Amino acid sequence: MPGLVDTHIHAPQYSFTGTRVDLPLLQWLTSYTFPTEAKYQDSGFAEEVYTRVVRRTLKNGTTTACYFATIHTDSSLLLAEIIDKFGQRAFVGKVCMDMNDSVPQYREITADSVQETERFVKELLEKKYPRVQPIITPRFGPSCTEDLLNALGDLAQTHDLHVQSHISENEEEVKLVENMFPAYQNYTELYDKNKLLTSKTVMAHACHLSEEELKLFSLRGAAISHCPNSNFSLRSGVLNVRKVLEHSVKLGLGTDVAGGYSASMLDAIRKTMMASNSLQINKVNETGITLEEAFQLATLGGSQALGLDYVIGNFEVGKEFDALLINTKASDSPFDLFSADDFEDALQKFLYLGDDRNISEVYVAGKQVVPFSSSV
């Protein structure tokens, strides 16, 4: 089957994945995330975690990932090097943030943030990795000044780069942005007016966007990364996928490690179904999305969100071969097949019950990357 595309994952947060999902977003960032990310100045620590997250996601069938790193340029470049070594396809972003009163040791001076982002982009492009690209990464509205957002928008425009950030994840964050940036009509306009909402942009969450904002996303060709595990775990909100698709906005799925407690895109598919079901239960939507639609969002939808659908996302002739070989009868498979089960039954059982024990081989651009070679 086609490789899975994770459109939103925080590599440095992998060290505490599966723990600490007991606070809402802003308090969670202050208590756990910022202090952890500050440690990535240490390249030894960074190398261990980054190696493990790339290995884990590849084993779980993620052939393409869109990573946030940290504010540290050198360890962000190290993440790109590790991804290239293992053969995964990826975007890597050095995080930019010049405001952080809650954890002041984890922020940058505005000019330094811009300068280091320029260095990150330049050095990463000079490496000429075949499938690892830089992505401009302002963390989110509350951690960036208008000057920084504007400079990053200029940088993205000048070098024709992809952009990633977060938007409207929870209601407290939305109110904070309203208070911090009163000159803008809404959160989406903050990014748009600073040239950060383009056809190469992917924004995570988007749980609380207005109709007007969704229309602007559609107009600009910007994409959304749906991260249902994180949205449930941090109690942020529920993205109405049906509504997003009705507005013709590009949509992919993300694990959002570590707000999402699983680094598996199979989990993202399952939680996408749960989120859709919850909207039906609460009479928000009359119809939910199907498992087939959720699977498409995890593959072709993700490739469209990242602007890679001309290269990957399905097995169309001419695209690169990013693929998983699935063994539904693996000796330690977590599910059982019966003689009456047809192909559709086997596929559904894998999507709902399968895991890395069923993923016997992983290919990126035609090269086998799992099982791992002895050189990595």
Side-chain angles (χ1 to χ4, degrees):
M1 61 177 249
L4 299 166
V5 180
D6 188 346
T7 57
H8 186 69
I9 174 169
H10 293 263
Q13 295 172 21
Y14 182 65
S15 64
F16 67 95
T17 304
T19 69
R20 305 180 204 169
V21 284
D22 56 343
L23 293 172
L25 174 67
L26 299 181
Q27 294 75 14
W28 177 83
L29 288 170
T30 300
S31 301
Y32 308 132
T33 306
F34 294 153
T36 299
E37 291 191 13
K39 295 178 186 172
Y40 284 78
Q41 207 160 355
D42 175 350
S43 61
F45 177 68
E47 184 171 15
E48 183 192 0
V49 179
Y50 288 165
T51 300
R52 290 190 182 198
V53 71
V54 174
R55 286 178 67 95
R56 179 66 61 188
T57 52
L58 276 171
K59 274 182 69 171
N60 285 338
T62 300
T63 50
T64 299
C66 193
Y67 289 107
F68 273 59
T70 63
I71 65 174
H72 312 103
T73 306
D74 291 333
S75 63
S76 300
L77 288 165
L78 177 62
L79 172 59
E81 183 185 327
I82 290 166
I83 293 163
D84 176 67
K85 183 176 75 173
F86 279 94
Q88 194 174 44
R89 191 186 300 273
F91 289 96
V92 177
K94 176 210 136 340
V95 172
C96 300
M97 47 191 291
D98 60 349
M99 294 206 314
N100 189 0
D101 293 338
S102 59
V103 186
Q105 71 271 25
Y106 190 61
R107 70 176 175 208
E108 307 163 287
I109 294 162
T110 309
D112 291 350
S113 183
V114 177
Q115 195 177 346
E116 284 299 295
T117 301
E118 286 175 336
R119 177 167 82 88
F120 172 75
V121 169
K122 180 173 178 287
E123 291 191 19
L124 181 44
L125 291 174
E126 281 172 356
K127 299 281 187 187
K128 292 191 163 50
Y129 297 137
R131 281 169 285 280
V132 185
Q133 300 179 55
I135 184 166
I136 298 296
T137 307
R139 184 172 211 111
F140 69 153
S143 63
C144 299
T145 60
E146 207 169 345
D147 286 347
L148 179 57
L149 292 172
N150 194 262
L152 293 175
D154 285 341
L155 194 58
Q157 189 176 53
T158 304
H159 298 285
D160 193 27
L161 297 168
H162 288 256
V163 175
Q164 66 176 347
S165 193
H166 303 86
I167 194 167
S168 296
E169 184 172 349
N170 86 357
E171 289 174 326
E172 190 184 2
E173 171 212 7
V174 175
K175 287 191 181 76
L176 185 58
V177 169
E178 278 174 17
N179 293 333
M180 287 174 66
F181 302 99
Y184 294 90
Q185 284 182 20
N186 52 50
Y187 205 158
T188 303
E189 189 177 88
L190 174 67
Y191 290 125
D192 186 50
K193 289 280 173 71
N194 288 291
K195 293 170 283 206
L196 291 164
L197 195 75
T198 73
S199 60
K200 289 189 162 188
T201 296
V202 58
M203 289 283 173
H205 305 290
C207 299
H208 306 284
L209 292 183
S210 64
E211 295 277 334
E212 189 184 356
E213 289 176 285
L214 281 169
K215 283 175 185 166
L216 188 52
F217 262 78
S218 180
L219 186 67
R220 297 288 184 256
I224 289 170
S225 172
H226 177 34
C227 306
N229 186 317
S230 172
N231 294 340
F232 283 135
S233 297
L234 303 184
R235 300 165 296 287
S236 299
V238 183
L239 178 70
N240 190 332
V241 166
R242 182 63 63 218
K243 195 161 131 185
V244 171
L245 295 175
E246 282 167 2
H247 279 84
S248 303
V249 175
K250 294 181 294 190
L251 184 67
L253 305 185
T255 58
D256 192 27
V257 162
Y261 57 72
S262 171
S264 170
M265 283 298 294
L266 291 171
D267 174 84
I269 290 170
R270 294 159 196 167
K271 297 298 189 297
T272 293
M273 295 304 296
M274 292 295 117
S276 174
N277 292 348
S278 74
L279 291 173
Q280 266 190 285
I281 290 166
N282 289 299
K283 309 285 191 289
V284 175
N285 288 346
E286 282 183 23
T287 57
I289 65 165
T290 64
L291 185 61
E292 288 79 7
E293 286 175 300
F295 175 64
Q296 185 179 35
L297 291 175
T299 51
L300 185 61
S303 73
Q304 290 165 343
L306 299 179
L308 294 173
D309 48 308
Y310 64 98
V311 187
I312 57 161
N314 56 18
F315 293 146
E316 273 182 23
V317 175
K319 289 191 180 184
E320 295 188 12
F321 187 67
D322 285 16
L324 315 180
L325 179 64
I326 307 302
N327 181 2
T328 54
K329 295 178 180 173
S331 59
D332 54 351
S333 176
F335 60 90
D336 295 297
L337 290 179
F338 295 89
S339 56
D341 288 341
D342 59 14
F343 173 77
E344 179 73 19
D345 296 321
L347 176 61
Q348 287 196 20
K349 284 187 175 184
F350 170 67
L351 292 179
Y352 273 127
L353 299 168
D355 61 25
D356 60 323
R357 288 170 288 185
N358 302 109
I359 302 173
S360 52
E361 293 173 12
V362 178
Y363 294 83
V364 176
K367 182 188 173 205
Q368 187 175 318
V369 293
V370 174
F372 302 114
S373 73
S374 55
S375 63
V376 296

